[in-house]
Amino acid sequence: NQNINIALIGNPNTGKTSVFNQLTGLNQQVGNYPGITVEKKIGFCKLPNNVKGNILDLPGTYSLNASSIDENVVIELLLNKNDKLYPDVAIVVTEVENLKRNLLLFTQIKDLEIPTILVINMADRMEYKGITLDIPYLEEHLKTKIALISSRKGYGIEELKNLIVSYKSIPTEACLNASSIAPEYFNSLRKAFPNQLLYKLWLVITQDVNFLNLERKEIQGTFTKSHSDLKRLQQKETIKRYQFINDVLKEGLQVDASIAKDFRSKLDRALTHKVWGYVIFFAI
Ligand code: GDP
Ligand code: MG
């Protein structure tokens, strides 16, 4: 009987709590405004082959460049291998309409070299929006396994469970070579911490906060930087990541605007202005 730790990570409003509920059968409250998940929630799920999963529903976070308490909770967990909830497998939940923005966090989690499954949620919206995805292409270039699901309709949940139990076959290759962004800092850091993960060193360089335990304190003297330096390095990282993401999505995601437009004009004709406003409201 195997027990595995699973962490659900993602931007606010991508459907993490809905996925959590699907996997655990619980009915946690979901809301359509950011910040509803203020702390870690744990649930349990039965997976194929008698495997049991401990699932952690983490607070919504946009990136690992910590600027909020919610983000700190996520980083603290992911940097602490001794935490009893440290994930065997991370699930990054994204949604199909905001894939580009959501993938920023995915590439960061991936660079911590934790086996990471990419969930693309809200598949039920693809047809309306004229979106098509080349899943094998995306899996190859994002170096991951993808579950395309709709947590609202319950599509793809069994496939996701199967991916979770076979997490050991998920590549743990990084997306970005962090050292190339700031070689001036990396060379000496590398010498001081030869066995540390590259992206962890990067986080040590770029975080302005003191929760990064021992290493941060040890190197503080040598690597003290101004706030604007830190911001500049974080911006460089973000730009590099979006370059990578844009390249991958250029081939892997197509949007046929005419389909979306056609759908909207049909709706426009069918609905009065007032009702259309409600539709927009509920769609957001
Ligand atoms: P979280 O902030 O990531 O935990 O996201 P929630 O689970 O609270 O969901 C955010 C919003 O997205 C809610 O209004 C959900 O009803 C909606 N939602 C979640 N999953 C789906 C889905 O598969 N399809 C659609 N259309 N909406 C979804
Ligand atoms: Mg939530």
Side-chain angles (χ1 to χ4, degrees):
N1 254 358
Q2 205 197 345
N3 236 303
I4 55 179
N5 282 343
I6 304 156
L8 281 175
I9 305 168
N11 292 178
N13 279 317
T14 52
K16 290 176 301 302
T17 301
S18 309
V19 173
F20 180 86
N21 290 341
Q22 285 282 354
L23 289 173
T24 59
L26 287 182
N27 213 350
Q28 292 263 7
Q29 205 186 343
V30 296
N32 61 355
Y33 51 92
I36 192 159
T37 312
V38 291
E39 54 184 39
K40 296 182 265 196
K41 275 193 254 115
I42 294 194
F44 305 94
C45 88
K46 273 192 194 161
L47 296 164
N49 311 334
N50 267 328
V51 178
K52 283 191 202 132
N54 308 318
I55 306 190
L56 200 55
D57 183 15
L58 287 162
T61 172
Y62 287 104
S63 76
L64 291 186
N65 304 328
S67 56
S68 75
I69 293 172
D70 281 356
E71 282 158 351
N72 288 358
V73 168
V74 177
I75 298 172
E76 268 177 10
L77 174 71
L78 296 181
L79 290 183
N80 185 5
K81 281 202 174 164
N82 299 322
D83 194 308
K84 67 178 195 301
L85 296 174
Y86 184 82
D88 298 299
V89 53
I91 299 179
V92 175
V93 181
T94 61
E95 55 109 343
V96 73
E97 287 183 59
N98 291 300
L99 197 53
K100 180 179 156 184
R101 176 159 53 95
N102 296 165
L103 280 175
L104 180 75
L105 179 66
F106 167 81
T107 67
Q108 291 182 318
I109 304 294
K110 187 102 178 53
D111 290 359
L112 290 170
E113 297 182 7
I114 299 165
T116 303
I117 295 170
L118 175 60
V119 163
I120 304 179
N121 189 27
M122 308 201 192
D124 55 288
R125 306 275 303 156
M126 288 170 70
E127 208 179 328
Y128 298 151
K129 292 283 171 173
I131 298 173
T132 47
L133 297 171
D134 184 340
I135 299 293
Y137 181 92
L138 292 172
E139 286 188 330
E140 185 191 338
H141 289 85
L142 296 171
K143 302 163 190 161
T144 187
K145 293 282 182 192
I146 296 177
L148 180 62
I149 73 164
S150 165
S151 56
R152 177 170 287 176
K153 312 240 178 206
Y155 301 155
I157 301 298
E158 290 313 308
E159 286 82 350
L160 174 58
K161 288 183 179 174
N162 287 325
L163 284 183
I164 295 172
V165 289
S166 53
Y167 73 92
K168 284 186 180 145
S169 65
I170 298 170
T172 52
E173 224 178 310
C175 288
L176 190 82
N177 177 4
S179 65
S180 68
I181 308 176
E184 68 275 27
Y185 294 116
F186 258 95
N187 296 338
S188 37
L189 255 188
R190 246 287 159 256
K191 264 185 219 132
F193 303 100
N195 300 319
Q196 279 293 1
L197 195 70
L198 205 59
Y199 189 55
K200 193 172 169 186
L201 290 180
W202 174 258
L203 287 174
V204 171
I205 293 179
T206 54
Q207 298 301 316
D208 199 9
V209 279
N210 58 9
F211 57 78
L212 279 173
N213 61 40
L214 204 67
E215 286 109 49
R216 171 84 196 160
K217 288 194 199 100
E218 281 175 26
I219 62 166
Q220 236 158 14
T222 354
F223 290 94
T224 315
K225 284 174 293 302
S226 69
H227 189 72
S228 62
D229 276 348
L230 295 176
K231 284 281 158 254
R232 185 180 55 82
L233 288 174
Q234 289 183 352
Q235 273 163 9
K236 271 177 102 175
E237 178 193 343
T238 305
I239 290 168
K240 284 256 180 187
R241 289 193 185 280
Y242 276 127
Q243 277 167 355
F244 169 79
I245 292 164
N246 279 333
D247 283 349
V248 174
L249 290 187
K250 210 160 71 189
E251 297 294 321
L253 176 143
Q254 305 301 329
V255 183
D256 185 339
S258 66
I259 294 179
K261 212 170 123 231
D262 191 43
F263 176 74
R264 268 196 303 274
S265 61
K266 270 191 207 139
L267 254 183
D268 264 339
R269 279 198 296 278
L271 299 163
T272 68
H273 236 60
K274 195 173 162 198
V275 179
W276 183 219
Y278 283 116
V279 172
I280 292 174
F281 178 80
F282 284 114
I284 302 177

